[in-house]
Amino acid sequence: MIRRAFKLFWAYILEHNKIFFFALLSGFLLVLFFVKFFKPYLAARPQEEIIGRSGNYTLQTLPLDIQEKLSLGLTKALPDGSATPSAAVSWIATDSGKTYLFKLNSNLIWHDGKPLTASDINYQLQDVKITPKGSDAIEFILADPFSPLPIVVNQPIFRPGLIGLGEYYLKSVKLSGRFLDTLVLEKPGRLQTYKFFTTDKMAVTALRLGKVQKLEGIQDLTNELNLLSKPDINYHQQAAIFFNAASDSVSEKSFRQALAYSLPQNSWDGVQSFGPLSPASWAYNPNLKKYPQDIENAKSLLAKTSASQSAKITLTTIPQLKNTAQKIKTAWEKIGMEVTVNLNESLPENYQALLIFFEIPKDPDQYLLWHSTSLQNITNYKSPKSDKLLEEGRQTSDPEVRKAKYFEFQKAITEDLPAIFLYFPTTYTVTRK
């Protein structure tokens, strides 16, 4: 039966071979036509990468690297802290650095299809008048000269709804209470899904369970030997011990220097630091006063202070730095100090010594951290010399003059020691084996 059917089919093909061949060729050409002209319109499933991050974030406090995927600032910060054009193609400072005019890139389009115009620029800067000049230029007028402004405006700009100018656009958001749970970013052919966890350990657990493909910016990897991790040094963050100058026990410079000389070197979870700036900064001074561990010198300095008879100190820190605090406690006890470690989830109003991470500004200007009149000067550090250097450093636009001012400022602060600068932390990008 099957053999007979095949013979009949073959006889039909031989008799009508021209029609059969034409139909076959036409079908083949039709398939090629559809593939060539309609393939770009066929929706391909985008590749998705699921990334874990630890920390409590809101849409207003997104990590800067995620913000920079979604949008652009007027400028972009280079690794050394200097500014380069981004949404602005150029800028000029006049009136001794009190007026800045930024020329915009007129080819930029918001994610909703609208062109970028000067009226879209929405920076909220205190004591700064911001005025559009036509559709493609914007003017900043300041009360006083302010040379760090080109770096300040590297902050990505958004329209309501996190509509940006970047490579990715915001696809969806899921909240857990008031904090972010999931954030989905999309560009043609690719999705990046960020899942947020309160702690590093929770993030690692999610990786083990397969809920995320990799983790970024993880610091706590204790006993996680069956994970693949790529270490990196975060030079934008630093661990330091801040001293409250308003507290009598730590108000003497010799006392603070004694504590510095007691600490071990290169025993931290990162790269040793010696001052308030990142070594990548264009204004970094490599020739600063160092405090190599010297127990006898530390004891000698401590004995000359008024606190020598009641050598007690309370070190307040965050849970994340508990192990580092224990190392410091052990070192200080070796020079005769009585040390109490307090764990605190938030910044306390009163403290003697405070071990925390602080973010290093991209520009070497650290006026807000250390100037005696700044509300963010949590150490109550007062130094006419440092105040003058910080004021002059932000008022001159000459890079070489600025560099000289910040070199002197770094020398002054590492001599006065309102804080002991410890290390730049190691962070890890982690995946499963």
Side-chain angles (χ1 to χ4, degrees), residues 212-232:
V212 298
Q213 297 166 350
K214 72 174 183 179
L215 305 176
E216 294 179 342
I218 299 298
Q219 292 185 13
D220 185 4
L221 275 184
T222 308
N223 299 322
E224 301 296 345
L225 299 180
N226 59 341
L227 296 175
L228 293 175
S229 59
K230 178 184 176 183
D232 193 15

Side-chain angles (χ1 to χ4, degrees), residues 20 28 56 99 125 138 204 216 222 245 364 398:
F20 181 80
F28 178 73
N56 291 325
T99 300
L125 303 177
I138 188 159
V204 170
E216 294 179 342
T222 308
D398 187 320

Side-chain angles (χ1 to χ4, degrees), residues 308-329:
S308 60
Q309 301 302 317
S310 56
K312 298 180 180 179
I313 192 168
T314 298
L315 177 64
T316 303
T317 191
I318 55 178
Q320 188 179 358
L321 286 169
K322 179 180 177 181
N323 292 337
T324 301
Q326 290 301 322
K327 291 180 182 178
I328 294 168
K329 179 178 187 293

Side-chain angles (χ1 to χ4, degrees), residues 87 89 103-109 115-116 135-136:
V89 294
K103 177 75 172 178
L104 301 183
N105 182 345
S106 57
N107 296 321
L108 290 176
I109 303 295
L116 171 68
S135 63
D136 64 348

Side-chain angles (χ1 to χ4, degrees), residues 265-287:
Q265 305 294 298
N266 301 315
S267 63
W268 315 109
D269 298 325
V271 171
Q272 184 82 33
S273 60
F274 302 102
L277 267 61
S278 162
S281 171
W282 59 267
Y284 177 72
N285 185 349
N287 301 312

